[in-house]
Every structure is written in structure tokens, then in C-alpha cells.
Amino acid sequence: MKLKCIKTSVSIFTLGIFLLISTSVNAQIAIAEKAFEEAEKKGFSGVLLLAIDGKVVFEEATGFRSFEEKTPLLPTDIFEMASVSKQFTAMMVMKCAEKGLLGYEDFADKYLDIPYKGISIRQLLTHTNGLPDYQAVMDRHWDKSQVADNAAILEYLRKYQPPMLAQPGEKYEYSNTAYVFLASIVEKVTGRDFIELSREWIFNPLGMGHTDIRTLEEKAKVPNFAAGHLKDKNGDYINANKFHSSDYTVWLGNRKGPGRVSSTAQDLLIWDQALYAGTLVSKETLDLAFSAQILNDGSLSNYGFGWDLSEDPDFGKIVSHTGDNPGYKTLIMRFVDQNKTLILLNNNAHEAKDALIKGAVEALRGW
């Protein structure tokens, strides 16, 4: 009889724990749902995905793939990643390093004919290189009826030689030019096309079937490609490609390195989990990627190899990156000490995304 009472007590205790956990989970889902509903009411168009240990705990889509055609947006739709692409470029460099094809302290001018000397690959990866903005040079001098690639960008930097913005290692300053250089270095040391190699080394092995580096023509052929949208003078959302401010995505449409990856929320989750598994590079290499950079004066810059770095008292280490293209706002946040993931893809550059991200972080905090 006594034993029976013990079993009953254990059962009640177990049931109590289950109910407590279930109530907690439901509360966190409610926080995410409320944040998403508020953003939806304000006109946000996009996808939010939250995952724990690689398992999706929240995923919702709202808005339109095409506002003009009123095509509803789906969680499986493909978005332009913009600068979230940089982490993939950094991974290509890291794989080259592990293969012994380059070293992080090698100077970029060892591999590229450029007028900027003494800049290490590490400084390219971490935005501590002091390079000028290639887009400003191309905007001023390039024939915009033609589509520029990395070779054209390097040619114009040699031709016009805009001055350095800072000495290598002096300070952090975000540099798209650096990531053009990195993709070009990968091509130099491998003798391969950067896009083909990205598919071979990352996208295909991981099963990221919806992820690629696509041309404008290729994007147009993808039926579930979510177009970026901006408001016209009447306040209506139209395809961002119709705005003059978006023209650079056409005449710089063949650049490689700083952007141009397009993907889905689910594919980004596959990528996120692969970084834990060590299937792409070693843990030691990833530790380098997630480490702050020491500047010339001994201070630290909290940007690793394609990732912003931060710490939180509850979450621990966070590695993240945003993306910003005409009409698009993208974000991946990896709470690496707890294997929690936040992915947000937005295709109407809506200000409600900021409150949504805050609510999503709070939902994950209590999980």
C-alpha cells in the first residue's frame, strides 16, 4: 500500500512538472503570437521563425509575395538575403583556409592586383580594413547600361584609386568592398567560379535546396520569389525595382561576395544547425569566426568573420547579422550558448519589424 502511494505521488509530481512546462511554453508562444499580430496589423509583410535545438517552435508568414498581384506570402517563399550573405562568403574563405589555400594574415594584394597594400584577409573579414566604398566609385564612373562584376569593380578601383578611409586595423567600418575582395580571392586560390563553388561547398551538401546566388533573370523565373516592396508617392507598395534608388541592384548585378544570396527561413535554419554540427569547418575555425577583432590600439571590435558579436546576461553569446536591400530587411540571430534561433525576413522594409524582433527575443528568453 505504501509503495502504491509512492507511485501515485511520483505520477502526480510528473504530471505537475509536465503541466508547468506546458504552461510556460504556451506563455512564450503567446508572446511571439502577440508580437507577430501587432506587426501584422501595422502592415508588416514577411516571415518570422523561432527555433530551439533546431526544432521550429514558431513560424508565421503574413503579407504579400507581390503586393501588385496580391499574392499571399508563404513561409516557404524565397527572399533576397542582402548582407546576411556575408556569412556565406566568410565560410568560403574559412574553408579555403582549412584547405591550406590561404592564411588569415595573408595580405589581399598577394592575390589581387589592387592599389591597397598591407590589408590582411582577417581585416577584410572583420571590416577593419579601411577600404573605400566601391559602389561610390562605380556610381560615379560606370556605364550603367552594362552590368558590373568583381573584375570590373577591381578595374575601377585600380583606375580611380579612391583613398583609404583609415589605416588597416585602425577601426571598424563596415565594408562591402572587403567582401568583393574576399570572393575574388576565393576564385583566385581555387581557380573556380565563386557561385559554383558556393553551391558545391555549402548549399548542396547541406540540402539548402532553395538557396542560391541568383541573377535578376534567374530570380524572375522563381515562382515563389518574394519581391522587395517600397511605397510610391501615393503610399502604395510597389516592386522596389521600379525605384531609381534600386538601380544599383541591376548595374552591379553580377558582383559576388557582399550580397546576392537568396534563401528561405527554413534553409537558414538548416545553415544555422550545420554550424553546430561541424560539417563545414572545425570548431576551432568557428571559434575564430565568433571572436572579437583586436584593433591597433588594443581595443576590441565586436565583428567576427561575417557575424556581429554580442553578449546577453540571459542568453550568453549571440552571433547575428542584418541585411538591407531595396524593400528587404533580413535578420538571423543565433543564441549559440542555448541553441536558439531567430530568423526574420521582411519584404516591405516595414518599421514594425523592430518591435517584432524585440517581442521575438523576449519569447525566446523565457523558453
Side-chain angles (χ1 to χ4, degrees), residues 266-306:
Q266 285 282 352
D267 268 13
L268 285 183
L269 182 59
I270 292 172
W271 159 249
D272 161 68
Q273 290 301 294
L275 295 177
Y276 291 105
T279 54
L280 294 172
V281 290
S282 68
K283 181 182 181 302
E284 291 73 21
T285 295
L286 273 182
D287 286 344
L288 282 177
F290 299 155
S291 297
Q293 175 73 4
I294 302 174
L295 299 174
N296 295 345
D297 64 2
S299 63
L300 295 179
S301 171
N302 289 313
Y303 190 99
F305 297 177

Side-chain angles (χ1 to χ4, degrees), residues 249-264:
T249 63
V250 177
W251 53 265
L252 288 173
N254 287 337
R255 69 202 184 286
K256 305 168 190 175
R260 286 189 59 210
V261 172
S262 49
S263 186
T264 65

Side-chain angles (χ1 to χ4, degrees), residues 111-126:
Y111 303 102
L112 304 176
D113 180 11
I114 51 175
Y116 308 104
K117 309 302 179 183
I119 301 171
S120 71
I121 288 176
R122 185 186 300 273
Q123 290 165 339
L124 294 178
L125 287 164
T126 58

Side-chain angles (χ1 to χ4, degrees), residues 181-247:
F181 284 10
L182 289 169
S184 298
I185 289 171
V186 169
E187 291 190 326
K188 180 70 173 181
V189 301
T190 62
R192 299 280 304 280
D193 175 72
F194 181 80
I195 296 175
E196 292 178 1
L197 206 57
S198 296
R199 295 166 184 159
E200 185 178 313
W201 283 3
I202 302 177
F203 306 147
N204 294 342
L206 295 186
M208 298 174 69
H210 304 287
T211 304
D212 205 351
I213 301 172
R214 298 173 168 97
T215 63
L216 289 173
E217 293 75 19
E218 288 168 338
K219 291 176 188 176
K221 294 176 182 177
V222 177
N224 65 324
F225 203 98
H229 294 83
L230 295 170
K231 285 185 177 180
D232 64 11
K233 61 183 180 180
N234 298 319
D236 298 320
Y237 281 112
I238 63 173
N239 193 305
N241 288 340
K242 297 178 181 178
F243 288 82
H244 175 66
S245 60
S246 304
D247 288 351

Side-chain angles (χ1 to χ4, degrees), residues 339-360:
N339 198 345
K340 294 178 179 178
T341 314
L342 187 163
I343 295 166
L344 180 132
L345 307 177
N346 173 215
N347 71 325
N348 68 338
H350 203 284
E351 60 273 9
K353 69 176 175 52
D354 296 327
L356 177 54
I357 292 166
K358 184 178 179 180

Side-chain angles (χ1 to χ4, degrees), residues 22-63:
S22 179
T23 301
S24 175
V25 168
N26 289 336
Q28 300 317 119
I29 291 174
I31 292 172
E33 285 179 342
K34 182 180 178 181
F36 193 83
E37 287 169 2
E38 288 298 316
E40 188 175 36
K41 288 176 185 176
K42 293 175 181 177
F44 170 85
S45 178
V47 176
L48 174 67
L49 182 151
L50 305 178
I52 300 176
D53 294 328
K55 294 180 174 58
V56 175
V57 294
F58 183 89
E59 184 176 26
E60 292 288 347
T62 187

